Coordinates of all heavy atoms in Angstrom, one line a residue:
M595 N 2.8 12.2 -57.9 CA 3.9 11.5 -58.6 C 3.5 10.2 -59.2 O 3.0 9.3 -58.5 CB 5.0 11.3 -57.6 CG 6.3 10.7 -58.1 SD 7.0 11.8 -59.4 CE 7.5 13.2 -58.4
D600 N 5.6 -0.2 -58.5 CA 5.6 0.1 -57.0 C 7.0 0.2 -56.4 O 7.1 0.9 -55.4 CB 4.7 -1.1 -56.3 CG 5.2 -2.5 -56.7 OD1 5.9 -2.6 -57.8 OD2 4.8 -3.4 -56.1
E603 N 8.0 3.8 -57.0 CA 7.2 4.6 -56.0 C 7.9 4.6 -54.7 O 8.1 5.7 -54.1 CB 5.8 4.0 -55.9 CG 4.9 4.7 -54.9 CD 3.6 4.0 -54.7 OE1 3.6 2.8 -54.1 OE2 2.4 4.5 -55.0
F627 N 1.8 6.9 -45.6 CA 0.5 6.3 -45.5 C 0.4 5.3 -46.6 O 0.7 5.5 -47.7 CB -0.6 7.3 -45.5 CG -0.6 8.4 -44.5 CD1 -1.4 9.5 -44.6 CD2 0.2 8.1 -43.3 CE1 -1.4 10.4 -43.6 CE2 0.0 9.1 -42.3 CZ -0.6 10.2 -42.4
Y628 N -0.5 4.3 -46.3 CA -0.8 3.2 -47.3 C -2.2 2.7 -47.0 O -2.6 2.8 -45.9 CB 0.1 2.1 -47.4 CG 0.8 1.7 -46.1 CD1 0.2 0.8 -45.3 CD2 2.1 2.2 -45.8 CE1 0.8 0.5 -44.1 CE2 2.7 1.9 -44.6 CZ 2.1 0.9 -43.8 OH 2.6 0.7 -42.5
R629 N -3.0 2.3 -48.0 CA -4.3 1.9 -47.9 C -4.4 0.5 -47.2 O -5.3 0.3 -46.4 CB -5.0 1.8 -49.2 CG -6.4 1.2 -49.2 CD -7.3 2.2 -48.5 NE -8.7 1.7 -48.3 CZ -9.1 0.9 -47.4 NH1 -8.3 0.3 -46.6 NH2 -10.3 0.4 -47.5
T630 N -3.4 -0.3 -47.5 CA -3.5 -1.8 -46.8 C -2.0 -1.9 -46.3 O -1.0 -1.6 -46.9 CB -3.8 -2.8 -47.9 OG1 -2.8 -3.0 -48.8 CG2 -5.2 -2.5 -48.6
Q633 N 1.1 -3.1 -48.5 CA 1.8 -2.2 -49.3 C 3.2 -1.7 -48.6 O 4.0 -1.2 -49.3 CB 1.0 -0.9 -49.6 CG -0.2 -1.1 -50.5 CD -1.1 0.1 -50.5 OE1 -2.2 0.1 -50.1 NE2 -0.6 1.2 -51.0
I837 N -3.8 4.3 -43.5 CA -4.5 5.6 -43.4 C -5.6 5.6 -42.3 O -5.8 6.6 -41.5 CB -5.2 6.0 -44.7 CG1 -4.1 6.0 -45.8 CG2 -5.9 7.3 -44.7 CD1 -4.7 6.1 -47.2
F849 N 3.3 11.4 -47.2 CA 3.3 10.7 -48.4 C 2.1 9.7 -48.5 O 2.1 8.9 -47.6 CB 4.6 9.9 -48.6 CG 5.8 10.7 -48.7 CD1 6.4 11.3 -47.6 CD2 6.4 11.0 -50.0 CE1 7.5 12.1 -47.7 CE2 7.5 11.8 -50.0 CZ 8.1 12.3 -48.9
V850 N 1.2 9.9 -49.4 CA 0.1 8.9 -49.6 C 0.4 8.0 -50.8 O 0.5 8.6 -51.9 CB -1.2 9.6 -49.8 CG1 -2.3 8.6 -49.9 CG2 -1.5 10.6 -48.6
T851 N 0.7 6.8 -50.5 CA 1.1 5.8 -51.6 C -0.1 5.1 -52.1 O -1.1 4.9 -51.4 CB 2.2 4.9 -51.1 OG1 1.7 4.1 -50.1 CG2 3.4 5.7 -50.7
G852 N 0.0 4.5 -53.4 CA -1.0 3.6 -53.9 C -2.4 4.3 -54.3 O -3.3 3.6 -54.1
A853 N -2.3 5.4 -54.8 CA -3.6 6.1 -55.1 C -4.0 5.6 -56.5 O -3.9 6.3 -57.6 CB -3.4 7.6 -55.2
E854 N -4.5 4.4 -56.6 CA -4.9 3.7 -57.7 C -6.3 3.1 -57.6 O -6.7 2.7 -56.6 CB -3.9 2.6 -58.1 CG -2.5 3.1 -58.3 CD -1.4 2.1 -57.9 OE1 -1.6 0.9 -57.9 OE2 -0.4 2.5 -57.5
E855 N -7.0 3.0 -58.8 CA -8.3 2.3 -58.8 C -8.0 0.9 -58.3 O -7.0 0.3 -58.7 CB -8.9 2.4 -60.2 CG -9.4 3.7 -60.7 CD -10.7 4.1 -59.8 OE1 -11.7 3.4 -60.0 OE2 -10.6 5.1 -59.0
S856 N -9.0 0.4 -57.6 CA -9.1 -1.0 -57.1 C -8.1 -1.1 -55.9 O -8.0 -2.1 -55.2 CB -8.7 -2.1 -58.1 OG -9.7 -2.1 -59.1
L857 N -7.3 -0.1 -55.6 CA -6.4 -0.1 -54.5 C -7.0 1.0 -53.5 O -7.1 0.8 -52.3 CB -5.0 0.0 -54.7 CG -4.0 0.0 -53.6 CD1 -4.1 -1.5 -53.1 CD2 -2.6 0.1 -54.1
F858 N -7.2 2.1 -54.0 CA -7.7 3.3 -53.3 C -8.4 4.2 -54.1 O -7.9 5.0 -54.8 CB -6.6 4.0 -52.6 CG -6.9 4.9 -51.5 CD1 -8.3 5.0 -51.1 CD2 -6.0 5.7 -50.9 CE1 -8.6 5.9 -50.1 CE2 -6.3 6.7 -49.9 CZ -7.6 6.7 -49.4
P859 N -9.8 4.0 -54.5 CA -10.7 3.2 -53.6 C -10.4 1.7 -53.9 O -10.0 1.2 -54.9 CB -12.1 3.5 -54.2 CG -11.8 3.9 -55.6 CD -10.5 4.7 -55.6
F878 N -9.8 9.0 -48.1 CA -8.8 9.8 -48.9 C -8.7 11.3 -48.3 O -7.7 12.0 -48.2 CB -9.2 9.9 -50.3 CG -8.2 10.4 -51.3 CD1 -7.2 9.6 -51.8 CD2 -8.2 11.7 -51.8 CE1 -6.2 10.0 -52.6 CE2 -7.3 12.1 -52.7 CZ -6.3 11.3 -53.1
I891 N 1.2 12.7 -53.2 CA 0.3 11.6 -53.5 C 0.9 10.8 -54.7 O 1.2 11.4 -55.7 CB -1.2 12.1 -53.9 CG1 -1.7 13.0 -52.8 CG2 -2.1 10.9 -54.2 CD1 -3.0 13.6 -53.1
L892 N 1.1 9.4 -54.5 CA 1.8 8.7 -55.5 C 0.9 7.5 -56.0 O 0.1 7.0 -55.2 CB 3.1 8.1 -54.9 CG 4.1 9.1 -54.3 CD1 3.9 9.3 -52.8 CD2 5.5 8.7 -54.6
F893 N 1.1 7.2 -57.3 CA 0.6 6.0 -57.7 C 1.5 5.3 -58.7 O 2.4 6.0 -59.3 CB -0.8 6.2 -58.4 CG -0.7 6.8 -59.8 CD1 -0.8 6.1 -60.9 CD2 -0.7 8.3 -59.9 CE1 -0.7 6.7 -62.2 CE2 -0.6 9.0 -61.2 CZ -0.7 8.0 -62.2
A894 N 1.3 4.0 -58.9 CA 2.1 3.3 -59.9 C 1.3 2.9 -61.1 O 0.2 2.4 -61.0 CB 2.7 2.1 -59.2
R897 N 1.6 -2.6 -60.6 CA 1.9 -2.9 -59.2 C 1.8 -4.4 -59.0 O 0.8 -5.0 -59.5 CB 0.9 -2.2 -58.2 CG 1.2 -2.4 -56.8 CD 0.2 -1.7 -55.9 NE 0.4 -0.3 -56.1 CZ 1.3 0.5 -55.4 NH1 2.0 0.0 -54.6 NH2 1.3 1.9 -55.7
N906 N -3.9 -0.7 -62.9 CA -5.2 -0.2 -62.4 C -5.5 1.2 -62.8 O -6.7 1.6 -62.8 CB -5.3 -0.3 -60.9 CG -5.3 -1.7 -60.4 OD1 -6.0 -2.6 -60.9 ND2 -4.6 -2.0 -59.4
G907 N -4.5 2.0 -63.1 CA -4.7 3.4 -63.5 C -4.9 4.3 -62.2 O -5.1 3.7 -61.1
P908 N -4.8 5.5 -62.3 CA -4.8 6.4 -61.2 C -6.2 6.5 -60.6 O -7.2 6.2 -61.2 CB -4.5 7.8 -61.8 CG -4.8 7.7 -63.2 CD -4.5 6.3 -63.5
S909 N -6.2 6.7 -59.2 CA -7.4 6.8 -58.5 C -8.3 7.9 -59.0 O -7.9 8.9 -59.4 CB -7.1 7.0 -57.0 OG -8.2 7.4 -56.3
L912 N -7.9 11.4 -57.6 CA -6.9 12.4 -58.2 C -7.7 13.3 -59.2 O -7.3 14.5 -59.3 CB -5.8 11.6 -58.8 CG -5.0 10.8 -57.9 CD1 -3.7 10.2 -58.7 CD2 -4.4 11.5 -56.7

Side-chain angles (χ1 to χ4, degrees):
M595 186 59 64
D600 49 347
E603 178 188 65
F627 299 160
Y628 33 84
R629 177 65 182 82
T630 67
Q633 293 169 246
I837 301 168
F849 295 80
V850 181
T851 61
E854 298 146 31
E855 285 292 295
S856 295
L857 187 58
F858 197 6
F878 194 79
I891 306 177
L892 302 96
F893 76 93
R897 182 178 299 275
N906 294 316
S909 168
L912 297 184

